[in-house]
Amino acid sequence: MNSADELTHELFAFFDGFSSWENSVIKTSDLTVSEAHAIEVLGRYGQMNMKSLAQHLGVTTGTTTVTVDRLEKKEYARRQSVKEDRRVHLITLTPKGQQAFAEHHQYHADLTEQILSVLSGEEHEQLLSILKKINKEAF
């Protein structure tokens, strides 16, 4: 197996492992993965309009609207009209949504600690640098 094939294999193995972990965490709640990701973005960045949320999630505003509809129905988020332009709605987490964010964010922090526990300090810095570069240049 050449180096590119080996890297592809390892990337798929990491992605599959991460996806399985994420799905197992989500199964303990009434959220879907897309809903949990929306909560993660809103919890990290605060209230925002539908277009901004869609951009952070990397999906269309139509897809985001469906996700926010479900989050509102489950009482994790709410839309608020902007007085200056009632066509614009800001999405914000409810107290239930803030609690879900805190719990989900802690799961991510725990996984990060688990990953870092097998790396040296230098490897940690290298991984962070490489991930930043990939995220900036490839996505």
Side-chain angles (χ1 to χ4, degrees):
M1 181 180 314
N2 68 35
S3 179
D5 288 341
E6 187 175 4
L7 180 58
T8 298
H9 172 76
E10 293 301 327
L11 285 171
F12 276 116
F14 180 82
F15 178 79
D16 287 344
F18 187 83
S19 294
S20 292
W21 173 85
E22 183 91 41
N23 285 324
S24 70
V25 167
I26 297 299
K27 285 182 182 179
T28 64
S29 73
D30 65 339
L31 296 168
T32 65
V33 171
S34 61
E35 292 165 354
H37 288 171
I39 287 173
E40 186 77 22
V41 169
L42 290 166
R44 181 169 182 197
Y45 298 104
Q47 75 176 8
M48 62 183 64
N49 64 28
M50 199 70 72
K51 182 178 179 183
S52 294
L53 181 56
Q55 288 172 336
H56 280 287
L57 295 171
V59 297
T60 67
T61 54
T63 299
T64 304
T65 299
V66 172
T67 300
V68 171
D69 286 345
R70 291 190 314 240
L71 288 173
E72 277 191 306
K73 186 174 183 176
K74 295 177 182 181
E75 300 180 346
Y76 286 100
R78 66 176 169 269
R79 288 182 180 97
Q80 298 171 311
S81 296
V82 175
K83 288 183 182 182
E84 297 80 25
D85 187 348
R86 294 175 92 40
R87 296 171 297 174
V88 176
H89 292 90
L90 296 178
I91 300 99
T92 187
L93 293 178
T94 63
K96 182 179 178 181
Q98 292 169 351
Q99 178 65 33
F101 166 71
E103 291 172 7
H104 192 76
H105 190 72
Q106 186 59 51
Y107 286 128
H108 282 183
D110 292 345
L111 177 62
T112 299
E113 286 301 318
Q114 183 179 345
I115 290 169
L116 292 179
S117 73
V118 301
L119 300 177
S120 69
E122 183 179 335
E123 289 170 328
H124 170 185
E125 293 302 319
Q126 290 171 344
L127 177 62
L128 180 59
S129 177
I130 290 167
L131 288 174
K132 283 181 175 182
K133 183 175 184 176
I134 291 169
N135 287 333
K136 181 180 178 186
E137 301 295 330
F139 302 113

